[in-house]
Amino acid sequence: MEERVYSNDLTYPKEAKKCLVYRIFGQVPARLVLYLLSWSGFLVSFMMRNDINLAIVAMVAEPPHTANSSAEYCFVVEDNNNTAPLDYGGTLNWSGPVQSYVLASFYWAYIVSQIVGGLATQKLGTKRVFGYSQLATALSSLCIPIAAESHFGFVIALRFVQGFASGLTWPAMYALVGHWIPVPERSRFMSSFQGFSIGIGVTYPLCGFLIAHLGWRSVFYTTGSIGVAWCLIWYLLAFDSPETHPRISLREQKYIRENTVNTYENSRQQQVPWKSILTSKAAWSIGITTFGRIWVHYTFIISGPTYMKRILGFSIEKNGLLSGAPFICSYIASVFFCYIADKLVTGNYMSLTNVRKLMTALSQVVPGALVPLVSYLGCDIELVLVVWFIAVTMITASYAGAMANIVDIAPNFAGPVLAFAQTIHMTASFLSPLANFQMLDKQEHLMSAWRTVFYVSCLVACVTYVSYQMWGTGDIQPWNESVDDVDKKEVEELVKSKNDVEITNGLGSNSSSKENNSHTISRNDNIA
């Protein structure tokens, strides 16, 4: 057996004493390291995912201005001091449909990979699935500049690869939550997923600066290089479970074990109950309602920079700053929403189900109602930005709502359930930009055309929420326990047997029997 050294309640492999990484991180709780890895991982992932949303504005040659009324946009071309956006030397003659295909191609494969991600995580573990997917995304980013100058088809292919790889990350990380994070901390840990908000918030201003000073190609070289560097850090510090972690303290490991309902090894051996997941109203309600949230979210993420350039007339740097700033606020808001959700549940102010429904309503009904308002505020830039900020910020409440609900209903199969839900709701990620480009139809300079886009987003967000209000629940589903041959009658017999053993132990059973009985009680509680 490997010799272990104990110091300040921390457990190290003998070889780890000489490792600089463990010396630096030896006193840091493993859950905190995991939080930071999750947060930074989604940050980097969304940098590589969204860099092209702003870069494409500079990549494509500026089309001729066709609007004939200044009431339809917020700058006057004839004025020498106008605020019209500058031409940043785009040379790619990509039509509107081609641009929509380039932006949407990421999500074609993203949806396909959700089920693959759930299955791969069950078999291979989060460390390998998340790490390799990030590396593939980073390498693809580095290749985009050369591909774009050759043919848009190559860019679509690379974005397809990025989408497939990125689609593996969410099921992988969700699966890790059930093994690592105690139930009282789960909503707060879910805020680490909001690293994607920081990723978007940082990417747009960074892209604007790089495009203005170094050209659009520097965007992809920068984000791709950051992605490769992050993969190295992940390789050194990430582990699939507390049991496989080489430096976790005994105290922390015990606390995690006592407050989680499944273990890494057990979950890998369980067969995924796909039939039960596919027929679960709770799972369907999560997928359907978040379809509406994604639709609104991607209206801001993908179509937002185009609106700010064509209608508001912002320069690329200002566009990047104002497109990204709301997402920085989103991260702060997500921490707040998750903290409030935990307090409402642990303080017994509301049931878990009602908390999830409240947060879900805030995340899509409120933003959905605010989106059309943007077009009616016209060129009141300050007020437009205030409404824009509020809408994007409220979207993040979903991570204390329907998205956190995935772990509630099936902690043992959070990865597969997420894969199922993402397969449904991420269709909105490519349908939204395709529908928006179709509705605009070469009228990107017309505010009236954008008003149609915003009304459709509002309708989709509000209608899809109804399913969650009807079927959403915070209760663990019966199929969470993969026990094929145990029916209700057998469970009752097990509970009765447990009580008989307790009586026997009370009359003088040995410690070994007590330990076995404790194991039986825990198993029965999980089954029940």
Side-chain angles (χ1 to χ4, degrees):
M1 182 178 295
E2 182 182 18
E3 179 185 353
R4 307 184 79 87
V5 178
Y6 301 93
S7 175
N8 295 326
D9 198 32
L10 294 171
T11 308
Y12 299 91
K14 184 176 180 180
E15 295 82 359
K17 293 187 293 180
K18 298 180 181 179
C19 181
L20 179 60
V21 172
Y22 291 103
R23 288 181 181 178
I24 295 174
F25 292 94
Q27 301 297 322
V28 180
R31 301 195 312 288
L32 176 58
V33 174
L34 182 61
Y35 182 96
L36 294 174
L37 286 172
S38 174
W39 179 85
S40 61
F42 283 113
L43 185 156
V44 172
S45 177
F46 273 73
M47 285 186 70
M48 297 183 291
R49 175 186 307 196
N50 291 287
D51 51 11
I52 199 171
N53 295 340
L54 187 65
I56 199 170
V57 174
M59 294 165 67
V60 177
E62 186 71 17
H65 187 64
T66 57
N68 55 16
S69 172
S70 62
E72 290 283 4
Y73 50 91
C74 299
F75 55 90
V76 181
V77 175
E78 291 78 9
D79 186 355
N80 291 330
N81 296 318
N82 64 69
T83 59
L86 298 174
D87 184 352
Y88 286 93
T91 58
L92 304 178
N93 295 315
W94 292 353
S95 64
V98 169
Q99 293 179 56
S100 69
Y101 296 145
V102 169
L103 295 175
S105 58
F106 178 97
Y107 302 99
W108 301 342
Y110 190 89
I111 295 170
V112 174
S113 66
Q114 296 302 303
I115 299 298
V116 177
L119 294 173
T121 302
Q122 291 288 119
K123 300 297 182 182
L124 302 176
T126 296
K127 180 170 183 174
R128 280 184 282 183
V129 173
F130 200 102
Y132 285 132
S133 65
Q134 290 278 73
L135 183 60
T137 305
L139 296 177
S140 296
S141 285
L142 294 173
C143 296
I144 285 179
I146 296 175
E149 294 174 339
S150 300
H151 193 274
F152 68 84
F154 294 125
V155 180
I156 291 176
L158 287 173
R159 292 287 290 172
F160 190 90
V161 172
Q162 286 185 313
F164 185 87
S166 295
L168 306 177
T169 59
W170 288 90
M173 191 55 69
Y174 262 89
L176 210 64
V177 174
H179 314 315
W180 266 101
I181 308 303
V183 174
E185 299 176 4
R186 280 184 181 165
S187 290
R188 276 168 285 178
F189 184 85
M190 297 299 287
S191 68
S192 71
F193 290 23
Q194 283 297 311
F196 85 79
S197 295
I198 300 294
I200 300 172
V202 169
T203 300
Y204 286 149
L206 177 63
C207 290
F209 175 83
L210 291 172
I211 292 169
H213 297 279
L214 299 174
W216 62 264
R217 295 168 187 79
S218 63
V219 169
F220 301 101
Y221 294 139
T222 300
T223 57
S225 298
I226 292 173
V228 172
W230 181 90
C231 289
L232 177 62
I233 297 173
W234 171 263
Y235 174 78
L236 294 173
L237 298 179
F239 299 93
D240 285 317
S241 70
E243 292 81 8
T244 60
H245 201 293
R247 64 160 190 83
I248 189 171
S249 70
L250 295 176
R251 180 183 304 169
E252 183 178 12
Q253 190 179 71
K254 180 180 179 182
Y255 172 69
I256 294 172
R257 186 185 304 114
E258 292 176 347
N259 289 276
T260 53
V261 296
N262 64 316
T263 65
Y264 173 67
E265 289 301 328
N266 287 341
S267 66
R268 287 176 57 135
Q269 296 171 3
Q270 291 176 333
Q271 184 176 0
V272 179
W274 284 112
K275 181 178 180 181
S276 297
I277 293 174
L278 293 174
T279 56
S280 170
K281 290 183 178 179
W284 273 98
S285 70
I286 294 172
I288 293 173
T289 194
T290 50
F291 177 95
R293 177 183 63 82
I294 293 294
W295 188 288
V296 174
H297 206 181
Y298 279 76
T299 296
F300 286 110
I301 292 176
I302 295 181
S303 301
T306 302
Y307 181 82
M308 287 190 174
K309 180 179 181 181
R310 305 298 185 204
I311 300 298
L312 303 182
F314 292 160
S315 68
I316 196 71
E317 289 182 273
K318 190 174 183 180
N319 192 335
L321 179 62
L322 295 177
S323 294
F327 293 96
I328 301 292
C329 298
S330 294
Y331 174 72
I332 299 172
S334 72
V335 176
F336 171 77
F337 285 128
C338 291
Y339 176 79
I340 294 299
D342 278 342
K343 287 296 182 182
L344 290 175
V345 173
T346 57
N348 293 320
Y349 296 108
M350 295 178 68
S351 68
L352 181 61
T353 297
N354 288 334
V355 167
R356 299 306 187 210
K357 289 182 178 180
L358 170 64
M359 293 298 171
T360 303
L362 291 175
S363 71
Q364 63 187 83
V365 175
V366 174
L370 290 176
V371 169
L373 183 59
V374 170
S375 62
Y376 286 102
L377 294 175
C379 299
D380 189 343
I381 304 299
E382 290 77 12
L383 197 53
V384 167
L385 293 178
V386 168
V387 173
W388 195 289
F389 269 58
I390 293 174
V392 173
T393 300
M394 295 300 293
I395 289 173
T396 60
S398 178
Y399 285 85
M403 296 304 290
N405 194 209
I406 292 172
V407 182
D408 296 331
I409 66 172
N412 283 353
F413 301 104
V417 173
L418 176 70
F420 168 73
Q422 291 250 72
T423 302
I424 298 172
H425 74 233
M426 286 310 295
T427 56
S429 62
F430 70 83
L431 290 178
S432 178
L434 289 176
N436 292 346
F437 272 100
Q438 185 66 32
M439 286 183 280
L440 292 172
D441 191 24
K442 299 181 181 180
Q443 297 180 338
E444 296 176 358
H445 288 90
L446 301 181
M447 195 174 293
S448 56
W450 281 96
R451 190 167 293 140
T452 302
V453 170
F454 294 152
Y455 266 121
V456 170
S457 295
C458 174
L459 180 65
V460 173
C462 295
V463 169
T464 53
Y465 171 73
V466 175
S467 65
Y468 193 72
Q469 184 62 39
M470 294 172 57
W471 300 324
T473 179
D475 298 332
I476 295 180
Q477 299 301 290
W479 43 266
N480 178 63
E481 293 298 333
S482 185
V483 183
D484 299 330
D485 298 325
V486 179
D487 57 18
K488 293 183 178 180
K489 182 177 179 180
E490 289 175 324
V491 171
E492 292 174 356
E493 292 176 355
L494 287 170
V495 173
K496 181 179 178 181
S497 174
K498 176 194 72 174
N499 293 333
D500 291 341
V501 175
E502 286 179 337
I503 294 174
T504 303
N505 287 338
L507 295 177
S509 62
N510 58 32
S511 60
S512 176
S513 298
K514 290 181 180 180
E515 291 177 359
N516 292 335
N517 180 45
S518 175
H519 175 73
T520 304
I521 293 172
S522 175
R523 174 176 167 76
N524 290 338
D525 288 343
N526 286 337
I527 295 174

